[in-house]
Amino acid sequence: SQKIEQNSEALNIQEGKTATLTCNYTNYSPAYLQWYRQDPGRGPVFLLLIRENEKEKRKERLKVTFDTTLKQSLFHITASQPADSATYLCASGDSGYALNFGKGTSLLVTP
Amino acid sequence: GAVVSQHPSRVICKSGTSVKIECRSLDFQATTMFWYRQFPKQSLMLMATSNEGSKATYEQGVEKDKFLINHASLTLSTLTVTSAHPEDSSFYICSAPGQGAYEQYFGPGTRLTVT
């Protein structure tokens, strides 16, 4: 079955460092991957989308890569801040269809 | 940006009763909405796809007679948990596709507790 895996359940880093989160997919080849942020008790918020033919995408302090050989997407937050602490979800899905989510990685940025 | 609201944000009900959760797209129309369920420290799991003017499509293992979905207008979908039991206690979240049809906009979620 199609799987999206975020193997790291939690990541703790110091403020100012770069956080790198990993998303792996198996048994299929998604045309694109998306990253969402979810705060406790809230719904996910869309951050970035990257297509399979795009190696890298940036938005402010965020950067996403898509490696179809490794079947992996990396999500980077540079110059991390305590306000970046949240759970980050990787997801895939066809246009107009529901998303298939990974379990998420809980990021904690400490001062 | 597109905004999706949910009501109520929290609800506590007794076992055996029914609970209705509303999902509204506030500034755009949504012919399709999705209902997810999320247990603690787990991923969002799709329950059903709500289609305006037609029957919802349920995922395998989700009882359509227990989780009634009505998408009566282009801005409102409702999920009714009938004869709720403690194991139905969860975080229910709806979403609607954005203009680009790839990204989705999520409601703030509804925390259901069945006692």
Side-chain angles (χ1 to χ4, degrees):
Chain A
S1 60
Q2 299 175 356
K3 280 187 182 178
I4 286 267
E5 291 175 320
Q6 293 179 257
N7 293 327
S8 183
E9 194 172 304
L11 178 65
N12 293 353
I13 63 167
Q14 205 169 16
E15 182 176 10
K17 303 286 187 188
T18 297
T20 298
L21 286 64
T22 305
C23 173
N24 295 293
Y25 56 91
T26 55
N27 298 328
Y28 73 126
S29 299
Y32 59 91
L33 290 167
Q34 303 185 39
W35 285 88
Y36 288 78
R37 168 181 173 145
Q38 186 176 24
D39 289 285
R42 307 293 296 175
V45 174
F46 173 74
L47 295 175
L48 278 170
L49 178 151
I50 184 166
R51 290 180 166 76
E52 61 178 341
N53 60 353
E54 296 174 318
K55 290 261 193 291
E56 180 181 296
K57 204 132 184 212
R58 291 176 185 261
K59 180 182 174 183
E60 298 172 355
R61 293 184 296 111
L62 309 180
K63 184 177 86 171
V64 173
T65 62
F66 197 158
D67 188 326
T68 55
T69 303
L70 294 177
K71 293 183 180 288
Q72 182 180 83
S73 174
L74 298 180
F75 177 80
H76 306 272
I77 305 176
T78 57
S80 59
Q81 304 166 0
D84 295 326
S85 298
T87 295
Y88 291 86
L89 303 167
C90 175
S92 71
D94 288 329
S95 170
Y97 288 83
L99 294 172
N100 180 23
F101 282 94
K103 280 190 179 180
T105 296
S106 176
L107 174 68
L108 178 63
V109 181
T110 52
Chain B
V3 178
V4 175
S5 71
Q6 271 182 254
H7 178 81
S9 57
R10 286 177 179 274
V11 57
I12 300 173
C13 70
K14 290 192 175 177
S15 190
T17 61
S18 294
V19 173
K20 182 189 278 189
I21 303 169
E22 292 185 349
C23 176
R24 291 183 187 271
S25 56
L26 297 186
D27 50 359
F28 67 107
Q29 294 182 333
T31 54
T32 301
M33 290 183 176
F34 303 103
W35 286 96
Y36 296 83
R37 181 166 51 181
Q38 186 177 34
F39 292 104
K41 295 198 183 294
Q42 295 296 313
S43 184
L44 282 79
M45 296 302 294
L46 178 68
M47 298 176 66
T49 301
S50 173
N51 303 299
E52 189 268 333
S54 65
K55 290 183 180 179
T57 305
Y58 290 82
E59 293 302 295
Q60 195 171 13
V62 178
E63 298 174 56
K64 65 179 183 195
D65 294 329
K66 181 171 180 62
F67 298 99
L68 301 178
I69 290 172
N70 187 340
H71 195 146
S73 78
L74 288 171
T75 59
L76 173 64
S77 174
T78 60
L79 168 68
T80 301
V81 183
T82 63
S83 186
H85 288 97
E87 56 265 31
D88 298 324
S89 298
S90 188
F91 192 52
Y92 291 85
I93 311 174
C94 68
S95 74
Q99 209 168 15
Y102 288 96
E103 71 272 18
Q104 293 199 13
Y105 296 96
F106 285 83
T110 297
R111 173 73 59 194
L112 170 63
T113 303
V114 184
T115 60

